[in-house]
Amino acid sequence: MKYNTKNYDYLIVGAGPYGSIFAYEAAKRGKRVLLIEKRDHIAGNMYTHKEDGINVHDYGAHIFHTDNKEVWDYVNQFTEFNGYINQVVANYKGQLYNLPFNMNTFYQMWGVKTPAEAAAKIEEQKKAVGISGAPQNLEEQAISLIGTDIYTKLIKGYTEKQWGRKATELPAFIIRRLPVRYTFDNNYFNHRYQGVPVDGYTSIFEKLLASDLIDVVTGVDFLADKETYLKEFPRIVYTGMIDGFFDYKYGELEYRSVRFENESFDSDNQQGNAVINYTDAETPFTRVMEWRHFDQKADAGRTILTKEYPQDWDRTKEAYYPVNDEKNSELFKKYRKEANGLKNVIFGGRLGNYQYYDMDQVFGAALKVVEKEFDK
Ligand code: UDP
């Protein structure tokens, strides 16, 4: 190890939001922190870089949205948000529909013009399938919320390529992330606060980690030297994969991965929207982002588009999505039990907790653990 471990109160593993907020709050209280990060940059999957005056999100579209005022006020200490409201368009075999599922979608799908007409149509389709009682999987949940037409055209194909599994084998909660509303409102989220940082997300992390009491070392894999770290550091915050920490002793948790292909054009506007989803089963990518539309004030003349392709995960790839089905949830419980037994290690973040967290939830969880650690 290149560092004098005696110099630090905390070792933090991972420079994503959980680890970086913990580091900031520890330093604020005079604690000395060593933060190690496996990749060659900070900010985890929130990492953005600037290209042709445009903030490009390297790990897919990140829109900050929350109802949690404490979290919103907290993140606003480190950045200004631009007021961006996510409004996604779906392309199903050349037909365009507004998302999330709302009166515009219902009008485009069926020509219905009132909430009562839309509700009647959905009820009729739900009845025809004969779904009653609590939905057992994503397919049943989707049909009982918005009927078979929308399920078939806007959900089934997208979901099955996104997750690499049948919609009947996926948990119902995944589709409940999307609002269903009987108003003409295309806002993808229901939360009160929403936006994208004017200078990109990486600048938030530069500020979080700026203290002299925090040393950041990138390109270091904790798991390659785990036993030594555990011996040398009195307290560790670990935000990597929980199954990896325990050497996969009960087996691998499953994740879903994605890969990206970028293309830039001499144009101001290529697709007319920040995000377009391709919801059929055949198109190999799920969505295309045009980054300048997230920024609102991007320089003129160039535009950058990114296609997002879902892919199977293996240990050589980035883990993006935990697959919180029953099998994996049971496995996760075993790892969490082990983790609870390690009193000097705190597990956090999407990978440390194996949860499909949004950014604001990670911020909230980090602030909670900070309170417990320092202000109890
Ligand atoms: N989804 C869908 N069609 C869409 C967009 C989303 O069926 O056009 C489903 C899909 O199963 C996806 C889930 O809704 O995994 C949650 O979507 P969200 O946009 O929240 O996913 P994320 O942005 O986290 O990848």
Side-chain angles (χ1 to χ4, degrees):
M1 235 173 295
K2 303 187 274 292
Y3 357 88
N4 181 355
T5 55
K6 301 277 175 291
N7 288 343
Y8 301 104
D9 299 299
Y10 287 91
L11 173 70
I12 299 182
V13 184
Y18 194 90
S20 300
I21 290 169
F22 195 102
Y24 175 84
E25 293 297 331
K28 208 164 95 179
R29 290 161 175 84
K31 307 291 183 197
R32 297 154 307 168
V33 175
L34 175 65
L35 190 155
I36 57 171
E37 163 60 52
K38 192 163 84 171
R39 298 182 199 170
D40 64 0
H41 63 75
I42 58 169
N45 282 5
M46 289 171 70
Y47 181 75
T48 56
H49 75 277
K50 204 156 198 153
E51 200 175 321
D52 291 332
I54 301 163
N55 289 304
V56 177
H57 306 198
D58 288 56
Y59 299 90
H62 281 75
I63 300 118
F64 205 99
H65 54 93
T66 192
D67 266 337
N68 185 331
K69 188 169 184 328
E70 187 195 352
V71 163
W72 182 247
D73 290 342
Y74 188 82
V75 67
N76 273 273
Q77 294 175 264
F78 305 101
T79 185
E80 192 188 330
F81 281 87
N82 65 8
Y84 171 80
I85 302 284
N86 200 29
Q87 302 190 53
V88 178
V89 170
N91 182 325
Y92 177 74
K93 303 191 179 198
Q95 295 289 320
L96 301 184
Y97 299 92
N98 289 109
L99 290 175
F101 317 114
N102 73 84
M103 283 305 295
N104 290 308
T105 329
F106 306 145
Y107 173 70
Q108 290 148 354
M109 192 65 68
W110 301 309
V112 295
K113 297 189 181 74
T114 66
E117 284 167 10
K121 192 84 191 165
I122 289 168
E123 195 50 37
E124 173 196 315
Q125 298 202 342
K126 190 178 150 181
K127 263 215 188 102
V129 177
I131 292 182
S132 58
Q136 295 304 305
N137 56 55
L138 195 153
E139 177 171 296
E140 289 186 15
Q141 176 69 82
I143 294 173
S144 70
L145 284 170
I146 35 78
T148 38
D149 286 343
I150 290 181
Y151 172 65
T152 309
K153 293 185 176 175
L154 303 183
I155 296 177
K156 189 175 192 300
Y158 185 101
T159 294
E160 294 188 345
K161 63 188 179 183
Q162 157 74 8
W163 292 96
R165 284 168 178 72
K166 294 251 167 283
T168 47
E169 289 158 15
L170 286 162
F173 83 86
I174 293 179
I175 201 65
R176 291 199 301 268
R177 289 170 57 84
L178 272 53
V180 176
R181 45 172 107 86
Y182 291 83
T183 52
F184 293 90
D185 176 358
N186 296 328
N187 187 344
Y188 200 72
F189 304 111
N190 274 332
H191 291 145
R192 173 184 287 222
Y193 309 106
Q194 185 174 168
V196 171
V198 286
D199 296 321
Y201 284 97
T202 307
S203 70
I204 298 176
F205 291 82
E206 284 161 357
K207 289 180 196 148
L208 282 170
L209 301 174
S211 165
D212 288 343
L213 295 176
I214 306 173
D215 289 332
V216 178
V217 189
T218 55
V220 175
D221 182 4
F222 169 83
L223 295 179
D225 243 331
K226 186 180 93 176
E227 294 310 327
T228 321
Y229 290 118
L230 286 174
K231 245 189 272 135
E232 298 275 324
F233 286 86
R235 205 115 172 90
I236 295 176
V237 176
Y238 175 83
T239 69
M241 296 192 308
I242 187 166
D243 52 345
F245 185 97
F246 294 106
D247 217 7
Y248 307 97
K249 66 194 265 190
Y250 300 117
E252 264 181 14
L253 288 163
E254 290 174 284
Y255 300 88
R256 192 70 178 148
S257 191
V258 285
R259 67 182 177 85
F260 300 99
E261 276 178 15
N262 294 2
E263 220 179 327
S264 55
F265 300 87
D266 289 320
S267 151
D268 281 347
N269 188 6
Q270 216 39 35
Q271 69 172 13
N273 202 40
V275 186
I276 300 195
N277 289 1
Y278 288 79
T279 57
D280 65 290
E282 293 76 29
T283 307
F285 45 88
T286 44
R287 48 191 167 190
V288 181
M289 282 70 73
E290 183 167 14
W291 301 111
R292 58 177 302 112
H293 296 309
F294 288 94
D295 277 356
Q296 300 171 323
K297 280 192 184 144
D299 298 343
R302 287 296 279 175
T303 193
I304 302 166
L305 278 77
T306 298
K307 286 192 179 113
E308 181 171 332
Y309 294 82
Q311 61 178 5
D312 286 339
W313 174 84
D314 63 45
R315 291 187 203 178
T316 65
K317 303 198 176 72
E318 292 294 345
Y320 281 81
Y321 297 92
V323 182
N324 293 112
D325 59 10
E326 235 165 82
K327 180 181 130 205
N328 286 293
S329 301
E330 283 309 307
L331 187 52
F332 169 64
K333 275 189 207 150
K334 290 190 189 167
Y335 284 118
R336 194 175 51 192
K337 202 164 160 218
E338 291 273 332
N340 288 342
L342 289 179
K343 293 301 170 213
N344 60 338
V345 185
I346 298 170
F347 289 77
R350 210 184 240 214
L351 302 178
N353 279 346
Y354 196 65
Q355 294 299 315
Y356 191 174
Y357 283 144
D358 287 324
M359 289 179 281
D360 66 318
Q361 293 172 301
V362 178
F363 272 65
L367 293 178
K368 269 220 176 76
V369 83
V370 158
E371 198 183 308
K372 201 166 149 218
E373 182 77 4
F374 301 109
D375 308 331
K376 57 199 160 198

